Coordinates of all heavy atoms in Angstrom, one line a residue:
R88 N 1.7 -6.5 7.4 CA 2.4 -7.5 8.2 C 1.7 -7.6 9.6 O 1.8 -8.8 10.2 CB 3.8 -7.1 8.3 CG 4.7 -7.9 9.2 CD 5.0 -9.3 8.7 NE 6.0 -10.0 9.4 CZ 5.8 -10.5 10.7 NH1 4.7 -10.4 11.3 NH2 6.8 -11.2 11.3
V89 N 1.2 -6.6 10.1 CA 0.6 -6.6 11.4 C -1.0 -6.5 11.4 O -1.6 -6.2 12.4 CB 1.2 -5.5 12.4 CG1 2.7 -5.7 12.5 CG2 0.8 -4.1 11.8
A90 N -1.6 -6.8 10.2 CA -3.0 -6.7 10.1 C -3.7 -7.6 11.1 O -4.7 -7.2 11.6 CB -3.4 -7.0 8.6
P91 N -3.2 -8.8 11.3 CA -3.9 -9.6 12.3 C -4.1 -9.0 13.7 O -5.1 -9.1 14.4 CB -3.0 -10.9 12.4 CG -2.5 -11.0 11.0 CD -2.2 -9.6 10.7
A92 N -3.0 -8.3 14.1 CA -3.0 -7.5 15.5 C -4.0 -6.4 15.4 O -4.8 -6.2 16.4 CB -1.7 -7.0 15.8
V93 N -4.1 -5.7 14.3 CA -5.1 -4.7 14.1 C -6.6 -5.2 14.1 O -7.4 -4.7 14.9 CB -4.9 -3.9 12.8 CG1 -6.0 -2.8 12.6 CG2 -3.5 -3.2 12.9
E94 N -6.8 -6.3 13.4 CA -8.1 -6.9 13.3 C -8.5 -7.4 14.7 O -9.7 -7.3 15.0 CB -8.1 -8.0 12.2 CG -7.9 -7.5 10.8 CD -7.6 -8.7 9.8 OE1 -7.0 -9.7 10.3 OE2 -7.8 -8.4 8.7
A95 N -7.6 -7.9 15.4 CA -8.0 -8.5 16.7 C -8.3 -7.4 17.8 O -8.9 -7.7 18.7 CB -6.8 -9.4 17.3
A96 N -7.9 -6.2 17.5 CA -8.0 -5.1 18.4 C -9.3 -4.4 18.3 O -9.7 -3.6 19.2 CB -6.9 -4.1 18.3
V97 N -10.1 -4.6 17.2 CA -11.3 -3.8 17.0 C -12.4 -4.8 16.5 O -12.2 -5.9 16.2 CB -11.1 -2.8 15.9 CG1 -10.1 -1.7 16.3 CG2 -10.6 -3.4 14.6
S98 N -13.6 -4.2 16.6 CA -14.8 -5.0 16.1 C -15.3 -4.6 14.7 O -16.3 -5.2 14.2 CB -15.9 -4.8 17.1 OG -16.4 -3.4 17.2
V99 N -14.7 -3.5 14.2 CA -15.1 -3.1 12.8 C -14.1 -3.8 11.8 O -13.0 -4.2 12.1 CB -14.9 -1.6 12.7 CG1 -15.9 -0.9 13.7 CG2 -13.5 -1.1 12.9
P100 N -14.6 -3.8 10.5 CA -13.8 -4.5 9.5 C -12.6 -3.7 9.1 O -12.6 -2.5 9.1 CB -14.8 -4.6 8.3 CG -15.8 -3.5 8.5 CD -16.0 -3.4 10.0
V101 N -11.6 -4.4 8.7 CA -10.3 -3.9 8.1 C -10.2 -4.3 6.7 O -10.3 -5.4 6.4 CB -9.1 -4.4 8.9 CG1 -7.8 -3.8 8.3 CG2 -9.1 -4.0 10.4
L102 N -10.3 -3.3 5.8 CA -10.2 -3.6 4.3 C -8.8 -4.0 3.9 O -8.0 -3.1 3.8 CB -10.8 -2.4 3.6 CG -12.3 -2.2 3.5 CD1 -12.9 -2.0 4.8 CD2 -12.6 -1.1 2.5
H103 N -8.5 -5.2 3.8 CA -7.2 -5.8 3.6 C -6.7 -5.5 2.1 O -7.3 -5.9 1.2 CB -7.1 -7.3 3.9 CG -5.7 -7.8 4.2 ND1 -4.8 -7.8 3.2 CD2 -5.1 -8.2 5.3 CE1 -3.7 -8.3 3.7 NE2 -3.9 -8.5 5.0
L104 N -5.6 -4.8 2.0 CA -5.1 -4.4 0.7 C -4.7 -5.5 -0.2 O -4.9 -5.5 -1.4 CB -3.9 -3.4 0.9 CG -3.4 -2.7 -0.3 CD1 -4.5 -2.1 -1.2 CD2 -2.4 -1.6 0.1
A105 N -4.2 -6.6 0.4 CA -3.8 -7.7 -0.5 C -5.0 -8.4 -1.1 O -5.0 -8.8 -2.3 CB -3.0 -8.8 0.3
D106 N -6.1 -8.5 -0.4 CA -7.3 -9.1 -0.9 C -7.9 -8.2 -2.1 O -8.3 -8.7 -3.1 CB -8.4 -9.3 0.1 CG -8.0 -10.3 1.2 OD1 -7.2 -11.2 0.9 OD2 -8.5 -10.3 2.3
I107 N -7.9 -6.9 -1.8 CA -8.4 -6.0 -2.8 C -7.5 -6.1 -4.1 O -8.0 -6.1 -5.2 CB -8.4 -4.6 -2.3 CG1 -9.4 -4.5 -1.1 CG2 -8.6 -3.5 -3.3 CD1 -9.2 -3.2 -0.2
T108 N -6.2 -6.2 -3.9 CA -5.3 -6.3 -5.0 C -5.5 -7.6 -5.9 O -5.5 -7.6 -7.1 CB -3.8 -6.2 -4.6 OG1 -3.6 -4.9 -3.9 CG2 -2.9 -6.3 -5.7
A109 N -5.7 -8.7 -5.1 CA -5.9 -10.0 -5.8 C -7.2 -9.9 -6.6 O -7.2 -10.4 -7.8 CB -6.0 -11.1 -4.7
H110 N -8.2 -9.3 -6.0 CA -9.5 -9.3 -6.8 C -9.4 -8.5 -8.1 O -9.9 -8.8 -9.1 CB -10.6 -8.7 -5.9 CG -10.9 -9.5 -4.7 ND1 -11.4 -9.0 -3.5 CD2 -10.8 -10.9 -4.5 CE1 -11.6 -9.9 -2.7 NE2 -11.3 -11.1 -3.2
A111 N -8.6 -7.3 -8.0 CA -8.4 -6.5 -9.2 C -7.6 -7.3 -10.3 O -8.0 -7.2 -11.4 CB -7.7 -5.3 -8.8
L112 N -6.6 -8.0 -9.9 CA -5.8 -8.8 -10.8 C -6.6 -9.8 -11.5 O -6.6 -10.0 -12.8 CB -4.6 -9.4 -10.1 CG -3.4 -8.5 -9.7 CD1 -2.5 -9.2 -8.7 CD2 -2.6 -8.0 -10.9
L113 N -7.4 -10.5 -10.8 CA -8.2 -11.6 -11.3 C -9.3 -11.0 -12.2 O -9.6 -11.6 -13.3 CB -8.8 -12.4 -10.2 CG -7.8 -13.3 -9.4 CD1 -8.5 -13.9 -8.1 CD2 -7.2 -14.3 -10.2
A114 N -9.8 -9.9 -11.8 CA -10.9 -9.3 -12.6 C -10.4 -8.8 -14.0 O -11.1 -8.8 -15.0 CB -11.5 -8.1 -11.9
D115 N -9.0 -8.5 -14.1 CA -8.4 -8.1 -15.3 C -7.9 -9.3 -16.1 O -7.2 -9.2 -17.1 CB -7.3 -7.1 -15.0 CG -7.8 -5.7 -14.7 OD1 -9.0 -5.4 -15.0 OD2 -7.0 -5.0 -14.1
G116 N -8.1 -10.5 -15.6 CA -7.7 -11.7 -16.2 C -6.3 -12.1 -16.0 O -5.7 -13.0 -16.7
H117 N -5.6 -11.5 -15.0 CA -4.2 -11.9 -14.7 C -4.1 -13.0 -13.7 O -4.8 -13.0 -12.7 CB -3.5 -10.6 -14.2 CG -3.5 -9.5 -15.1 ND1 -3.1 -9.5 -16.4 CD2 -3.9 -8.2 -14.9 CE1 -3.2 -8.4 -17.0 NE2 -3.7 -7.5 -16.1
R118 N -3.3 -14.0 -14.0 CA -3.1 -15.1 -13.1 C -1.7 -15.1 -12.5 O -1.4 -15.8 -11.5 CB -3.3 -16.4 -13.8 CG -4.7 -16.7 -14.2 CD -5.6 -16.9 -13.0 NE -7.0 -17.1 -13.4 CZ -8.0 -17.4 -12.5 NH1 -7.6 -17.6 -11.2 NH2 -9.2 -17.5 -12.9
S119 N -0.8 -14.2 -12.9 CA 0.5 -14.1 -12.4 C 0.9 -12.7 -12.3 O 0.5 -11.8 -13.1 CB 1.6 -14.9 -13.2 OG 1.7 -14.3 -14.6
A120 N 1.7 -12.3 -11.3 CA 2.1 -10.9 -11.1 C 3.4 -10.8 -10.4 O 3.8 -11.7 -9.6 CB 1.0 -10.1 -10.4
A121 N 4.1 -9.7 -10.6 CA 5.4 -9.4 -10.0 C 5.0 -8.4 -8.8 O 4.3 -7.4 -9.1 CB 6.4 -8.8 -10.9
L122 N 5.5 -8.7 -7.6 CA 5.3 -7.9 -6.4 C 6.5 -7.0 -6.2 O 7.6 -7.5 -5.9 CB 5.0 -8.8 -5.3 CG 4.8 -8.1 -3.9 CD1 3.7 -7.1 -3.9 CD2 4.6 -9.1 -2.8
L123 N 6.3 -5.7 -6.3 CA 7.4 -4.7 -6.0 C 7.0 -3.9 -4.8 O 5.8 -3.5 -4.6 CB 7.6 -3.8 -7.2 CG 8.5 -4.3 -8.3 CD1 8.0 -5.6 -8.9 CD2 8.6 -3.2 -9.4
G124 N 7.9 -3.7 -3.9 CA 7.6 -2.9 -2.7 C 8.8 -2.8 -1.8 O 10.0 -2.8 -2.3

Side-chain angles (χ1 to χ4, degrees):
R88 171 70 169 73
V89 301
V93 174
E94 292 168 336
V97 294
S98 60
V99 298
V101 178
L102 280 63
H103 199 291
L104 188 45
D106 293 336
I107 293 164
T108 298
H110 295 154
L112 286 164
L113 293 170
D115 287 340
H117 302 308
R118 292 289 175 177
S119 65
L122 174 61
L123 276 58

